Amino acid sequence: KNEVEQSPQNLTAQEGEFITINCSYSVGISALHWLQQHPGGGIVSLFMLSSGKKKHGRLIATINIQEKHSSLHITASHPRDSAVYICAVDNNAGNMLTFGGGTRLMVKP
Amino acid sequence: SQTIHQWPATLVQPVGSPLSLECTVEGTSNPNLYWYRQAAGRGLQLLFYSVGIGQISSEVPQNLSASRPQDRQFILSSKKLLLSDSGFYLCAWSSDFTGELFFGEGSRLTVL
């Protein structure tokens, strides 16, 4: 069993829909990262969180440490949100991350 | 502000040829540096990480090596490439203070 599981693996949505991507992990962590990988391959860090909730524009990330679960929400989705979203956890082993398999999101106009 | 650059962006190399990918970070000192690889359709795999000059840790045994000759320079090398070395290579850095991770633009390597 992978230490970090993301769901769904693939997601297709219509523009304007509210989107949720889930991440569950099985190890104790010091922080969780949400990353966005664009079709060209470049990766951008969206959030790093260790508790509660963070918001940036239309993106919201939440984490429940007790349940070992995090969600990434996208409100009013747009075709430019189409990308692979990756969850990664820092298990406090020297800034080394364990990555989920990614969620491929396509938002159709 | 901090920036990270890696090059070349795209590389096509024959099997058995050498490899050198370079990554530099600006605007910070003593960063933690990482090399990741993403094979086609696969997730990110940590190859090497470094917490200081000359300090390299390898996560996966392979024919690749890494060096950190200067504080903000990280180099990924191979003496003889294999077909299985094809993939998308990403350099990244993080700060011990914030833990936030920043990625370079990536280098797409095709070994023929």
Side-chain angles (χ1 to χ4, degrees), chain B residues 7-21 63-64 76-87 89 107-112:
Chain B
W7 67 93
T10 305
L11 201 57
V12 180
Q13 293 286 102
V15 168
S17 63
L19 171 73
S20 180
L21 301 179
N63 68 321
L64 300 172
L76 182 69
S77 304
S78 174
K79 292 182 179 178
K80 288 185 178 182
L81 285 168
L82 305 173
L83 286 174
S84 57
D85 292 325
S86 294
Y89 290 81
S107 299
R108 194 167 301 279
L109 170 66
T110 303
V111 182
L112 301 175

Side-chain angles (χ1 to χ4, degrees), chain A residues 31 33 35 37 39-48 84 86 88 90 93-97 99-102 104, chain B residues 32 34 36 38 41-46 49 51 59 88 90 94-96 98-106 108:
Chain A
H33 300 252
L35 311 172
Q37 185 170 29
I43 293 182
V44 174
S45 176
L46 298 175
F47 296 102
M48 185 185 74
V84 175
I86 302 168
D90 182 348
N95 284 316
M96 288 181 286
L97 302 180
F99 294 87
R104 187 175 299 277
Chain B
N32 298 317
Y34 311 86
Y36 291 96
Q38 187 177 42
R42 306 284 295 276
L44 286 162
Q45 178 187 39
L46 178 64
Y49 71 96
V51 298
E59 288 297 300
F88 189 63
L90 286 150
S94 71
S95 162
D96 270 339
T98 67
E100 199 171 354
L101 197 63
F102 300 91
F103 287 86
E105 305 94 334
R108 194 167 301 279

Side-chain angles (χ1 to χ4, degrees), chain A:
Chain A
K1 185 178 187 298
N2 292 332
E3 290 183 341
V4 182
E5 297 273 359
Q6 284 186 237
S7 62
Q9 287 185 311
N10 295 283
L11 182 57
T12 301
Q14 287 297 131
E15 183 173 357
E17 285 185 2
F18 180 83
I19 289 164
T20 296
I21 299 171
N22 296 298
C23 176
S24 297
Y25 52 92
S26 58
V27 297
I29 69 169
S30 58
L32 182 144
H33 300 252
W34 279 104
L35 311 172
Q36 180 191 52
Q37 185 170 29
H38 287 282
I43 293 182
V44 174
S45 176
L46 298 175
F47 296 102
M48 185 185 74
L49 63 165
S50 54
S51 65
K53 175 180 173 179
K54 286 190 175 180
K55 184 177 188 292
H56 181 68
R58 294 180 294 106
L59 302 177
I60 303 167
T62 64
I63 188 168
N64 185 318
I65 296 295
Q66 287 73 28
E67 295 185 3
K68 293 187 168 61
H69 181 269
S70 175
S71 293
L72 176 68
H73 305 286
I74 305 175
T75 62
S77 59
H78 190 276
R80 65 173 174 266
D81 297 325
S82 298
V84 175
Y85 293 84
I86 302 168
C87 169
V89 300
D90 182 348
N91 62 358
N92 212 23
N95 284 316
M96 288 181 286
L97 302 180
T98 302
F99 294 87
T103 295
R104 187 175 299 277
L105 170 66
M106 179 180 293
V107 181
K108 294 183 176 181

Side-chain angles (χ1 to χ4, degrees), chain B residues 15-31:
Chain B
V15 168
S17 63
L19 171 73
S20 180
L21 301 179
E22 188 164 343
C23 173
T24 59
V25 180
E26 297 175 1
T28 188
S29 59
N30 199 31

